[in-house]
Amino acid sequence: MNTENTRAAVIWSFWGAAFLLLCLVFRDSLAEMVGTWIGLEEYSHGFFIPCITVYLIWMRRSELSLAPSFKESVPGLVIIVIGLLVFILGGLATIKTMEQYAFLVVLTGMFACAFG
């Protein structure tokens, strides 16, 4: 059994679970965002943005490697904390747009944590 492949599988499983948890936390904001994409014609292009983003990341996947140490993940953790604070403030102020932007900030922080 190859321990390097096992380690990579565990790390990818962790990040997959973290992404699912992120989607669960932001579910109301994401549902409203999708509702806006469906309901308003000027925002209907919103469905293309995640697809294009995934495609661009996939095209450059050979340049990505998981962060080798925790030290390189600290800036990503700071970004995640900032995003979660914006999410909380948006929830307290009932400003859904802030919550939706907070999702993008936290997602960026997760990406920075994973890849340094």
Side-chain angles (χ1 to χ4, degrees):
M1 185 155 102
N2 190 345
T3 58
E4 186 63 33
N5 287 341
T6 305
R7 182 177 178 270
V10 169
I11 291 172
W12 281 110
S13 298
F14 169 77
W15 286 114
F19 179 73
L20 290 176
L21 180 62
L22 178 69
C23 290
L24 180 68
V25 169
F26 285 87
R27 71 183 175 277
D28 294 335
S29 300
L30 294 174
E32 186 169 324
M33 184 168 43
V34 169
T36 301
W37 293 350
I38 291 171
L40 298 173
E41 187 175 331
E42 61 266 20
Y43 293 111
S44 62
H45 67 281
F47 290 106
F48 292 112
I49 295 171
C51 298
I52 292 170
T53 302
V54 169
Y55 172 74
L56 292 174
I57 291 171
W58 180 257
M59 292 302 297
R60 302 188 85 176
R61 68 188 179 277
S62 63
E63 299 173 27
L64 297 176
S65 61
L66 293 171
S69 69
F70 180 75
K71 182 180 174 184
E72 295 171 356
S73 298
V74 172
L77 290 174
V78 172
I79 294 170
I80 289 173
V81 169
I82 291 169
L84 291 174
L85 289 174
V86 170
F87 174 71
I88 291 169
L89 290 173
L92 291 173
T94 63
I95 302 173
K96 289 294 184 184
T97 306
M98 278 180 69
E99 293 178 6
Q100 293 163 355
Y101 282 125
F103 174 77
L104 296 175
V105 172
V106 173
L107 192 60
T108 302
M110 285 179 62
F111 196 81
C113 276
F115 298 105

